[in-house]
Amino acid sequence: MDEQTLKFAQHENEFLFVDFYASWCSHCQALAPTWEVLAEVMNSAARASVDTEIVGREHEYSKEDYDAAVKLAMPAMIAKVDCVVHKDLCMDQMIRGYPTLRLFVHDKLTFNYEGPRTVLSMTNW
């Protein structure tokens, strides 16, 4: 994710949870599989929500309509920014250590996540 896509994602999503990382960081490397599973969990939750709503009416929706509905139902968009590649963006965000997990709500910084680095903990948060 670069500066332009970060701004777009902030604008388009009520909740945006971003992993600011460096590819050389061992803590970031350890978090990567967990972060991917977290993204899958959010996507699965959104699909399950939409599927429940359209039971028996699936034929009424195109793939584009379905994908748009899933995006709207997404509990939180999960994203990553490689601070080695996007140094200026990370400096603008005042990223001082890796990984930094940051939640944006309605285009604004809300919290840096400091809790346990498990899918369950981050999902509950």
Side-chain angles (χ1 to χ4, degrees), residues 1-16:
M1 179 169 279
D2 61 20
E3 185 173 357
Q4 183 178 2
T5 55
L6 177 64
K7 286 181 182 178
F8 179 79
Q10 285 176 292
H11 179 71
E12 291 293 312
N13 296 281
E14 181 178 2
F15 299 102
L16 176 64

Side-chain angles (χ1 to χ4, degrees), residues 22-112:
S23 54
W24 50 260
C25 166
S26 62
H27 297 288
C28 299
Q29 293 166 2
L31 177 64
T34 303
W35 198 252
E36 293 300 318
V37 171
L38 179 64
E40 291 171 14
V41 166
M42 293 296 144
N43 192 22
S44 293
R47 288 187 183 284
S49 175
V50 170
D51 291 348
T52 299
E53 292 295 320
I54 65 170
V55 167
R57 299 180 298 132
E58 294 88 350
H59 65 281
E60 296 175 18
Y61 297 91
S62 68
K63 179 176 176 3
E64 292 79 19
D65 290 339
Y66 179 80
D67 290 344
V70 167
K71 183 177 177 285
L72 287 172
M74 187 81 61
M77 171 67 93
I78 307 300
K80 294 173 79 167
V81 173
D82 184 342
C83 291
V84 173
V85 175
H86 303 288
K87 292 177 188 174
D88 292 341
L89 171 59
C90 294
M91 287 177 63
D92 289 345
Q93 290 292 321
M94 298 193 298
I95 303 300
R96 303 279 185 243
Y98 308 113
T100 295
L101 306 179
R102 192 166 278 177
L103 178 68
F104 296 88
V105 179
H106 300 292
D107 287 344
K108 297 185 184 339
L109 168 63
T110 303
F111 297 105
N112 282 348

